Amino acid sequence: MTAKPTPSIIHHFSTIEDPRVNRQKRHQLQDIFFISIYAMICGADNWVAIEEFGLAKEEWFTELLGLENGILSHDTFGEVYAAIDTCWRRLKIDHLEGFVPIEF
């Protein structure tokens, strides 16, 4: 059995309120953060690249996160982060600058 992601990454973002209306929530906000953070650490630098990374690792993400609706589209990633734009800027500036992309 594969372990769930450690709570440290998810916990860091747990205070961010989900800006989406309930009928549009096909993916958990923590899963969106988890997939996009992993993709960016591995070199993805735009929504299309994040989607492509997610699709390339979809089996792993599904096993790890229990995704029921697959990987989000690049449009959905962009829309969610646009709704929480202030947090996204803080995440990108404070936490990801200086990371060197790595391959898994």
Side-chain angles (χ1 to χ4, degrees):
M1 178 177 196
T2 303
K4 293 282 185 186
T6 58
S8 58
I9 288 177
I10 300 305
H11 179 74
H12 184 75
F13 300 103
S14 64
T15 59
I16 299 170
E17 290 188 36
D18 194 335
R20 301 170 295 163
V21 295
N22 282 334
R23 64 180 161 71
Q24 293 178 319
K25 293 181 183 180
R26 295 185 62 219
H27 300 87
Q28 293 183 26
L29 188 60
Q30 67 184 23
D31 294 345
I32 296 170
F33 291 148
F34 191 82
I35 294 166
S36 57
I37 289 168
Y38 261 84
M40 288 184 295
I41 289 171
C42 292
D45 60 358
N46 61 57
W47 303 127
V48 172
I50 290 172
E51 177 188 13
E52 289 173 350
F53 179 85
L55 291 171
K57 306 291 185 190
E58 184 170 11
E59 184 177 329
W60 182 74
F61 281 124
T62 299
E63 183 179 326
L64 188 66
L65 302 172
L67 300 178
E68 295 178 9
N69 296 304
I71 299 297
L72 296 73
S73 71
H74 62 276
D75 289 330
T76 303
F77 275 111
E79 290 166 4
V80 170
Y81 277 105
I84 53 175
D85 184 59
T86 302
C87 170
W88 173 241
R89 287 184 184 157
R90 187 176 5 166
L91 165 71
K92 190 172 180 182
I93 292 168
D94 294 344
H95 301 288
L96 294 180
E97 282 192 6
F99 271 103
V100 176
I102 56 175
E103 296 281 331
F104 283 97

